[in-house]
C-alpha cells in the first residue's frame, strides 16, 4: 500500500514490540522498519539500468518472508549496538529489536498482498505474486482511523493503560475494515461472474478489484479469445452490471516473445493491451488496474510507453493524459451508484 499506510502500520507494531520500554521511540523505529521494504525502489535504480528490470525488482526480494527474517536480525543487531549505550544501557535487549524489525518489515508485504499489485512473498524460492485484490493501494478508511489512534496514544506515558487501549482500538478498527474488504471481494466476485454468465460471455480468465481510494466501486476484467471485457459495479448500485466495455488486445503490435516484454507480461499477470500512438512508442496499458473514467476505454491510469533502447526494451511510466475534472466527476458518480 501507500507509504503513509506502511509507516502507520510499522509504527503500530513497533509500539507492540517495544512501546512499554522506550515509549514513543518505538513508534519511530517501527515506522522506519515499515519503510525498509519500499527502499527497493531506490536500490532498483542502483542495481539496474533497464526500466523493466527496475519495475520487476520492486515488491520482489525486499518484500519477501526471507528478507523479513534476514532484515530483522541485521537491523536488530545494528540498532541494539547503537542504542544500548549510556543511560539507555540494558533498557532493551537484542531480542526486542529483532522482534520489532521482524514485525515491522514482515507486516509491510503482508498488507501489500491484499492489494492488486501483490508481492512476491516467497522469493527466492518462487516468483509467485500473492495478490488477494481486496483493498486498493490507497484507501483512507483503512489508514486514517489507525493514524488518529497512534497520534492520540503518543500523548500518554508508556506505562499508562490508555496507551494500550488506543493501540488496540486502532488495530481492531483497521483489521475489521480489512476483513470487510475480504467479505466485499467474495460478494463482488459472485456479482461479476453472474453478470458474465447472464451476458453469455465465455472467458478464459477473470479478475476483480476495488477502484482507488475506496472499497465501494469495483472493477472486473475478463479475458476472451478476442479481447477483454471490463465493467464496474458499486455497492450502492440499484442493479447488477449488464453491459461490458470491449478492449482489443492488439498483442501483435510488439514482439511479446522478447525476454524483456515477457517480464512485462508477467508483471501485468497477462492482463494488458497495446495501443498505437502518434509518437515513436507503443502504449502498454496494465489492465489489472481500473479505467479512471468508467465510460472511456482509453482512460487507463497505469500505462507505459514501450520502446526499443539498443538491444533492450524499455517501459517508462506514461503521463501523456492527465485525468480531467470530467474523469474525476464520472468516477465519483459511479462510486455513489449513479
Amino acid at each position: 500500500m501507500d507509504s503513509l499506510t506502511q509507516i502507520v502500520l510499522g509504527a503500530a507494531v513497533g509500539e507492540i514490540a517495544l512501546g512499554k520500554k522506550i515509549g514513543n521511540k518505538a513508534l519511530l523505529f517501527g515506522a522506519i522498519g515499515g519503510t525498509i521494504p519500499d527502499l527497493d525502489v531506490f536500490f532498483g535504480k542502483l542495481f539496474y539500468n533497464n526500466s523493466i528490470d527496475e519495475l520487476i525488482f520492486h515488491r520482489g526480494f525486499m518484500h519477501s518472508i526471507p528478507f523479513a527474517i534476514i532484515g530483522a536480525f541485521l537491523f536488530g543487531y545494528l540498532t541494539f549496538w547503537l542504542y544500548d549505550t549510556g543511560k539507555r544501557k540494558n533498557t532493551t535487549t537484542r531480542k526486542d529489536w529483532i522482534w520489532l524489525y521482524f514485525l515491522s518489515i514482515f507486516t509491510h508485504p503482508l498488507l501489500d498482498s491484499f492489494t492488486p499489485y501483490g508481492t512476491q512473498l516467497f522469493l527466492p524460492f518462487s516468483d509467485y505474486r500473492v495478490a488477494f485484490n481486496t483493498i486498493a493501494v490507497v484507501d483512507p478508511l483503512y489508514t486514517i482511523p489507525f493514524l488518529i489512534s497512534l497520534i492520540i496514544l503518543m500523548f500518554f506515558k508508556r506505562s499508562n493503560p490508555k496507551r494500550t487501549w488506543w493501540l488496540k482500538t486502532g488495530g481492531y478498527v483497521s483489521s475489521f475494515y480489512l476483513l470487510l474488504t475480504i467479505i466485499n471481494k467474495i460478494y463482488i466476485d459472485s456479482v461479476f461472474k453472474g453478470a458474465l454468465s447472464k451476458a453469455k460471455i465465455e472467458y478464459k480468465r477473470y479478475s476483480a478489484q476495488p477502484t482507488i481510494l475506496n472499497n465501494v466501486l469495483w472493477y472486473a476484467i475478463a479475458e476472451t479469445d478476442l479481447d477483454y471485457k471490463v465493467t464496474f459495479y458499486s455497492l450502492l448500485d440499484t442493479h447488477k452490471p449488464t453491459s461490458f466495455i470491449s478492449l482489443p488486445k492488439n498483442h501483435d503490435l510488439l514482439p511479446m516473445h522478447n525476454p524483456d516484454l515477457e517480464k512485462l507480461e508477467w508483471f501485468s499477470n497477462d492482463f494488458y493491451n497495446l495501443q498505437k500512438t502518434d509518437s515513436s512508442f507503443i502504449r502498454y496499458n496494465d489492465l489489472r488496474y481500473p479505467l479512471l473514467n468508467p465510460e472511456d476505454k482509453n482512460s487507463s491510469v497505469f500505462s507505459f510507453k514501450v520502446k526499443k533502447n539498443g538491444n533492450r526494451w524499455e517501459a517508462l511510466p506514461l503521463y501523456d493524459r492527465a485525468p480531467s475534472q470530467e474523469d474525476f466527476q464520472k468516477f465519483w458518480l459511479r462510486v455513489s451508484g449513479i
Side-chain angles (χ1 to χ4, degrees), residues 39-59:
L39 294 180
D40 58 6
V41 173
F42 302 101
F43 286 118
K45 296 183 182 298
L46 293 176
F47 297 157
Y48 302 102
N49 57 11
N50 178 270
S51 57
I52 295 178
D53 290 338
E54 292 175 16
L55 190 66
I56 300 300
F57 185 72
H58 179 46
R59 292 208 186 176

Side-chain angles (χ1 to χ4, degrees), residues 74-335:
L74 176 63
F75 294 109
Y77 269 72
L78 178 61
T79 306
F80 176 72
W81 177 68
L82 293 172
Y83 188 88
D84 192 47
T85 59
K87 294 181 179 180
R88 299 190 297 264
K89 190 74 174 178
N90 298 324
T91 57
T92 62
T93 66
R94 186 179 290 109
K95 183 179 179 180
D96 290 333
W97 290 104
I98 291 172
W99 183 235
L100 180 146
Y101 280 108
F102 175 76
L103 287 177
S104 58
I105 294 174
F106 174 65
T107 54
H108 179 127
L110 188 63
L111 181 59
D112 279 345
S113 296
F114 286 88
T115 71
Y117 200 111
T119 186
Q120 299 174 70
L121 281 177
F122 308 111
L123 278 179
F125 308 106
S126 170
D127 65 355
Y128 176 74
R129 192 165 61 236
V130 182
F132 299 123
N133 289 17
T134 73
I135 191 169
V137 292
V138 182
D139 191 326
L141 286 183
Y142 177 89
T143 308
I144 293 176
F146 212 171
L147 175 62
I148 292 173
S149 70
L150 293 187
I151 292 174
I152 293 174
L153 75 80
M154 290 173 62
F155 291 95
F156 295 99
K157 293 182 178 180
R158 61 176 181 263
S159 58
N160 193 318
K162 289 185 178 180
R163 190 178 177 100
T164 301
W165 188 90
W166 279 106
L167 175 65
K168 288 182 177 179
T169 298
Y172 289 153
V173 170
S174 65
S175 297
F176 175 77
Y177 183 74
L178 192 60
L179 176 62
L180 183 62
T181 70
I182 297 172
I183 295 171
N184 282 348
K185 168 67 172 171
I186 294 171
Y187 169 68
I188 289 295
D189 279 339
S190 68
V191 170
F192 282 136
K193 289 180 179 180
L196 287 164
S197 176
K198 191 172 183 178
K200 297 182 180 180
I201 296 175
E202 296 184 5
Y203 60 95
K204 299 187 294 184
R205 297 186 308 131
Y206 154 90
S207 180
Q209 60 156 291
T211 55
I212 196 69
L213 298 175
N214 75 101
N215 208 253
V216 176
L217 179 62
W218 289 69
Y219 160 87
I221 178 169
E223 181 184 7
T224 72
D225 289 329
L226 299 177
D227 58 10
Y228 296 104
K229 305 292 186 183
V230 301
T231 191
F232 292 80
Y233 176 69
S234 170
L235 295 174
L236 302 177
D237 282 348
T238 57
H239 59 273
K240 304 295 173 62
T242 56
S243 61
F244 292 82
I245 300 174
S246 296
L247 301 179
K249 293 182 177 180
N250 295 330
H251 290 177
D252 58 341
L253 292 179
L254 286 173
M256 299 307 297
H257 59 277
N258 178 275
D260 288 330
L261 299 180
E262 285 180 345
K263 293 178 184 177
L264 206 54
E265 273 186 318
W266 171 87
F267 174 75
S268 302
N269 198 24
D270 291 332
F271 285 114
Y272 71 97
N273 74 341
L274 304 175
Q275 291 177 284
K276 287 184 178 179
T277 68
D278 295 333
S279 304
S280 60
F281 63 84
I282 298 294
R283 183 188 185 101
Y284 181 104
N285 299 312
D286 188 332
L287 298 177
R288 290 176 303 157
Y289 292 90
L291 309 176
L292 179 62
N293 183 341
E295 299 176 9
D296 183 359
K297 66 174 60 180
N298 296 316
S299 63
S300 175
V301 293
F302 198 24
S303 302
F304 304 94
K305 58 178 180 181
V306 179
K307 58 191 299 186
K308 198 78 176 286
N309 183 11
N311 295 323
R312 300 289 305 274
W313 286 90
E314 298 277 357
L316 302 174
L318 189 58
Y319 305 109
D320 63 337
R321 183 188 183 281
S324 66
Q325 185 176 358
E326 181 184 5
D327 289 335
F328 284 115
Q329 287 176 341
K330 289 185 176 180
F331 171 75
W332 289 113
L333 284 173
R334 279 302 289 119
V335 171

